[in-house]
Amino acid sequence: METNLGLALKLLEDTLAPFQQRLQLVEKPVVMPQKGQVLVKMLASPVNPSDLVYLRGQYGLPPQDGTYAGFEGCGEVIAANAGLYGRWLVGKRVALSAQPGQDGLWARYACTLASYCLPLRKDIDNAQGATLIVNPLTSICLLDRARKLGAKAIVINAAASQVGKGLIRYAQKLGIKTLATVRSQANVETLKALGADWVLLTSAEDFSEQLKQAVQASGASVLMDAVADDDTARVLRQMPAGSTAIVYGRLQESQDPLGGKFSVADVIFRGISIEGFWLARTLKHAPIWKVLNLNRKVQQLFADGTFHTDIYAECGFDDFIAALEHYAEHKSDGKVLLCP
């Protein structure tokens, strides 16, 4: 078998260094799957905001110098050491997540746990399959949580992101109203056309008053928070007592190692709740039947057009890092994919 080739993390103390200094093309032997793992020939792997945070050494997982990066992708299972399910996956095209603490997916080949692989339908192409886990499954799980909290409407910040767009489409299907906040005027009409019930520009002088009126009209009681900075407290201030913020991302490049800002007074006196969501933890603790049910649901939602990932560029190793730098500054343009 040919040797592996991938983009490995070069760990730097300078958190402001450009990504081209943080990634290097590294050749390694192809590693055979250990117990519970499968070997996958990679077809496509996207850049997500979590990848960028990881490359800067600010993610929830400790960065490992010299390991391949990349959390999500699509590929063909070519070998398995994982019981009946693993053997069943051999020869199948799958969406997959990287196994924490090991080489990631920005490479020709990758090993991961069989339970982190979801077989793909034939009508899901490689680009959409590569982006099927992190954002769409996050959208489904977040809205399932909002329904358990009794939400009739939700506020979504950074709503032009792929998760934000997925939340808008899926909420519409569930009959849940959406209040989308964006930082760019260019995204306002896009999200209105997508089906958001309200789209508010955070830079508008009367943003807080607009948000207050929209919350009162809709009864929004859950904030889907991908920013985790000043925006969190700013939005919650306009929401009713007993509301919940579900923090699932951190787009602000804050240097505070703790991150996140909220009003202590809101938590104490208005019963505001703040909880976190991390898809990797959810999938790790879910039984395989539940993961497969989620897989069937998300692929059906791709097939019927509810979910669709915008793709900015599909790149080889030579032009991937430049495209990654573009994505870091212009996430709403769409995903950048590595196709090794």
Side-chain angles (χ1 to χ4, degrees):
M1 182 182 290
E2 61 183 309
T3 56
N4 205 355
L5 187 67
L7 288 164
L9 172 65
K10 185 177 181 180
L11 197 56
L12 302 174
E13 291 186 6
D14 180 6
T15 59
L16 298 179
F19 292 107
Q20 62 183 349
Q21 294 179 20
R22 298 176 179 279
L23 287 167
Q24 53 188 346
L25 201 57
V26 172
E27 191 172 16
K28 301 182 183 184
V30 175
V31 178
M32 290 297 102
Q34 302 300 304
K35 186 175 181 180
Q37 290 186 325
V38 295
L39 177 64
V40 180
K41 183 176 183 180
M42 296 303 301
L43 298 171
S45 184
V47 184
N48 287 309
S50 54
D51 293 302
L52 303 181
V53 177
Y54 174 77
L55 291 175
R56 292 196 183 281
Q58 298 173 317
Y59 195 60
L61 296 173
Q64 295 188 339
D65 189 53
T67 58
Y68 294 144
F71 287 146
E72 175 185 36
C74 162
E76 180 185 346
V77 177
I78 59 174
N81 183 11
L84 289 174
Y85 183 62
R87 290 197 295 273
W88 179 71
L89 288 174
V90 173
K92 290 181 170 60
R93 197 169 52 103
V94 298
L96 68 151
S97 295
Q99 184 174 343
Q102 302 200 18
D103 275 317
L105 309 182
W106 291 351
R108 288 175 178 162
Y109 298 94
C111 276
T112 193
L113 292 174
S115 57
Y116 285 9
C117 297
L118 303 176
L120 288 169
R121 294 164 41 149
K122 291 181 179 179
D123 56 352
I124 306 292
D125 64 25
N126 291 341
Q128 297 300 309
T131 60
L132 183 141
I133 294 180
V134 171
N135 292 333
L137 284 184
T138 293
S139 297
I140 289 174
C141 292
L142 289 175
L143 277 166
D144 284 350
R145 177 61 180 151
R147 294 171 79 184
K148 288 179 181 177
L149 291 168
K152 301 289 191 294
I154 60 174
V155 180
I156 310 166
N157 63 19
S161 68
Q162 296 302 314
V163 171
K165 290 175 179 177
L167 285 168
I168 291 168
R169 293 189 186 102
Y170 189 41
Q172 197 172 26
K173 200 177 189 74
L174 298 177
I176 294 175
K177 300 290 185 183
T178 51
L179 288 68
T181 76
V182 293
R183 291 176 286 183
S184 170
Q185 179 66 47
N187 290 319
V188 173
E189 292 305 320
T190 299
L191 296 190
K192 285 182 178 178
L194 199 63
D197 296 285
W198 289 266
V199 184
L200 308 178
L201 192 63
T202 57
S203 59
E205 289 186 7
D206 61 343
F207 166 73
S208 293
E209 182 59 30
Q210 287 186 43
L211 178 61
K212 181 179 180 179
Q213 292 179 9
V215 166
Q216 289 175 345
S218 65
S221 58
V222 171
L223 164 64
M224 303 302 186
D225 183 16
V227 179
D229 208 274
D230 293 333
D231 201 40
T232 306
R234 185 184 181 195
V235 171
L236 286 171
R237 198 169 297 126
Q238 307 305 326
M239 296 179 69
S243 292
T244 300
I246 305 176
V247 183
Y248 69 93
R250 184 184 176 196
L251 292 185
Q252 286 292 114
E253 297 292 340
S254 169
Q255 301 306 307
D256 184 343
L258 296 178
K261 296 181 181 178
F262 63 92
S263 166
V264 175
D266 279 347
V267 172
I268 295 173
F269 299 114
R270 297 208 301 126
I272 296 294
S273 298
I274 299 173
E275 61 185 56
F277 174 82
W278 186 29
L279 183 66
R281 181 177 62 239
T282 299
L283 294 181
K284 181 180 180 179
H285 296 294
I288 190 65
W289 64 264
K290 186 172 183 179
V291 174
L292 291 174
N293 281 342
L294 279 171
N295 180 40
R296 282 192 288 271
K297 179 187 284 189
V298 75
Q299 292 194 60
Q300 180 56 48
L301 291 168
F302 265 97
D304 69 16
T306 300
F307 286 150
H308 176 81
T309 302
D310 299 323
I311 306 298
Y312 171 75
E314 299 184 30
C315 309
F317 288 120
D318 291 342
D319 51 354
F320 177 71
I321 297 177
L324 180 152
E325 295 276 11
H326 175 92
Y327 173 80
E329 298 297 324
H330 307 281
K331 296 180 182 69
S332 60
D333 285 356
K335 292 293 184 188
V336 168
L337 299 178
L338 173 65
C339 303

